[in-house]
Amino acid sequence: MNLMGDAMTDYLTWLATHGYATTTIKGRRHHLMALSVFLEERGIIDPAGVTPADIESYQRHLFHHRKSNGMALTFRTQAQRLVPVKGFFSWLTGCGRLPYDPASALVLPRTEHRLPESTLSVDEVESVLSGPDTMTTLGIRDRAIMEVFYSTAIRRMELIALLVSDIDSSRGTLFVRQGKGGRDRHVPIGERALHWVRRYNDEVRPHLALSPDCGTLFLTSYGGAYAPDVLSRQITAYMKAGAPTKRGSCHMFRHTAATLMLDGGADVRYVAEMLGHQKLETTMIYTRVSLTKLSAVHAACHPAEATRTASL
């Protein structure tokens, strides 16, 4: 009997009954299973047998691990895999199932404050959006999906979970239910995106929906909701065709929309609300990739630019 597996199942059940998001629970299950495999290979199948040295050894294992492409895990990724470990053993200790917490001394690695690798220019966005063949039904669907991504800057899973009833054309809003962190929010959606959603709903979706209708807004050619990786591959293909020098998929629209709105003068607080960020600091990263205003100030104020202009 694997006592480790049973304890992890109990912990994940506790998370579910205390309102943690399904995606959060799924992620923690994945990372705890990796820990379980690591410990089982060392003959440890009971949480009571785990020592601080074992936890430290697992952290070193993550540090030295290499992905299939030979790259190391980033410190951010390492931290993401260790947070469930701390949570699991803290819960076991709090429940009285362990006399002490072997992960209490675990120090998470300092995470990098990394910028998005790139964003699209307005022209590149338009090139990507024009990729689908809108003379076909699936082309209309794909254009509608990308227009919604660009207009609303919602996350991939938020788009996948959209229902037909979540679009309010009269108010020009989209309802995100149970977004990241289990939070609902209303997001503005532009008229162009609404136009393509209406075309999709009128001309395409009735031919894709199965009976009984599940109510999901965007459907695959099989009539079901998208799997995340399927949607990513679909968007990646359009990105490669329309902006071949840029790397990205669904999240590229989110980065791009936030950056272009800030370039256009939007208040960072409103952008944070639209993106569903709890902390303003999370949104501030986009002010660091919003270079339009910074470039204008540089051209107007830097002495070298003033000298260059005078000499031309």
Side-chain angles (χ1 to χ4, degrees):
M1 183 176 182
N2 192 328
L3 297 176
M4 185 73 69
D6 293 341
M8 289 179 176
T9 298
D10 291 344
Y11 171 60
L12 295 170
T13 301
W14 181 89
L15 292 177
T17 57
H18 285 76
Y20 281 73
T22 302
T23 51
T24 299
I25 297 171
K26 183 178 179 180
R28 294 200 178 188
R29 176 184 292 109
H30 176 75
H31 296 319
L32 289 175
M33 285 300 299
L35 171 68
S36 179
V37 170
F38 174 85
L39 293 173
E40 188 170 355
E41 289 174 347
R42 287 150 183 80
I44 304 170
I45 60 172
D46 186 343
V50 179
T51 67
D54 295 322
I55 300 297
E56 184 179 348
S57 178
Y58 182 63
Q59 184 169 20
R60 288 197 302 271
H61 164 75
L62 293 177
F63 176 76
H64 292 292
H65 177 75
R66 293 296 179 268
K67 295 182 287 187
S68 58
N69 61 5
M71 298 292 290
L73 300 178
T74 66
F75 285 119
R76 182 178 298 276
T77 299
Q78 292 174 48
Q80 288 172 344
R81 297 190 181 192
L82 290 169
V83 164
V85 175
K86 286 183 70 72
F88 172 58
F89 286 105
S90 175
W91 177 79
L92 287 174
T93 307
C95 292
R97 296 170 67 162
L98 290 180
Y100 73 96
D101 182 352
S104 61
L106 176 64
V107 178
L108 297 178
R110 295 180 62 183
T111 57
E112 316 94 329
H113 295 283
R114 303 188 66 184
L115 296 174
E117 286 190 14
S118 61
T119 58
L120 301 175
S121 67
V122 173
D123 288 342
E124 287 173 328
V125 173
E126 296 304 322
S127 177
V128 173
L129 292 176
S130 65
D133 180 1
T134 53
M135 298 300 291
T136 66
T137 56
L138 296 185
I140 294 173
R141 178 203 60 190
D142 295 352
R143 178 67 183 263
I145 287 173
M146 291 195 292
E147 289 282 0
V148 170
F149 269 135
Y150 181 44
S151 181
T152 64
I154 60 176
R155 301 176 178 92
R156 179 180 63 176
M157 290 305 301
E158 293 171 344
L159 182 134
I160 289 173
L162 285 176
L163 302 178
V164 174
S165 57
D166 290 334
I167 304 290
D168 189 334
S169 297
S170 61
R171 295 178 59 196
T173 61
L174 174 152
F175 180 55
V176 175
R177 64 183 71 248
Q178 297 293 289
K180 190 171 183 179
R183 296 181 295 274
D184 296 342
R185 70 184 190 280
H186 289 277
V187 178
I189 181 171
E191 183 53 42
R192 188 173 77 171
L194 286 173
H195 163 77
W196 284 103
V197 170
R198 282 192 290 266
R199 279 201 63 182
Y200 163 74
N201 274 330
D202 293 342
E203 303 174 29
V204 179
R205 193 180 180 281
H207 302 291
L208 297 178
L210 302 175
S211 183
D213 193 331
C214 63
T216 300
L217 177 59
F218 291 116
L219 301 172
T220 68
S221 55
Y222 298 102
Y226 272 94
D229 60 330
V230 172
L231 182 58
S232 290
R233 287 196 298 269
Q234 179 177 303
I235 301 302
T236 297
Y238 288 118
M239 287 282 181
K240 288 181 177 178
T245 63
K246 302 292 178 68
R247 294 175 54 197
S249 186
C250 306
H251 223 63
M252 176 69 86
F253 283 114
R254 182 171 170 85
H255 291 321
T256 298
T259 303
L260 293 178
M261 287 179 66
L262 290 167
D263 277 345
D267 189 303
V268 68
R269 293 171 295 179
Y270 295 122
V271 176
E273 180 69 21
M274 180 172 173
L275 296 175
H277 289 162
Q278 277 194 306
K279 297 179 180 179
L280 192 61
E281 292 81 2
T282 308
T283 316
M284 291 297 289
I285 190 172
Y286 293 104
T287 66
R288 296 167 59 193
V289 294
S290 178
L291 298 176
T292 300
K293 293 180 181 178
L294 179 59
S295 298
V297 171
H298 179 271
C301 302
H302 195 286
E305 290 302 301
T307 302
R308 184 182 67 84
T309 302
S311 64
L312 294 177

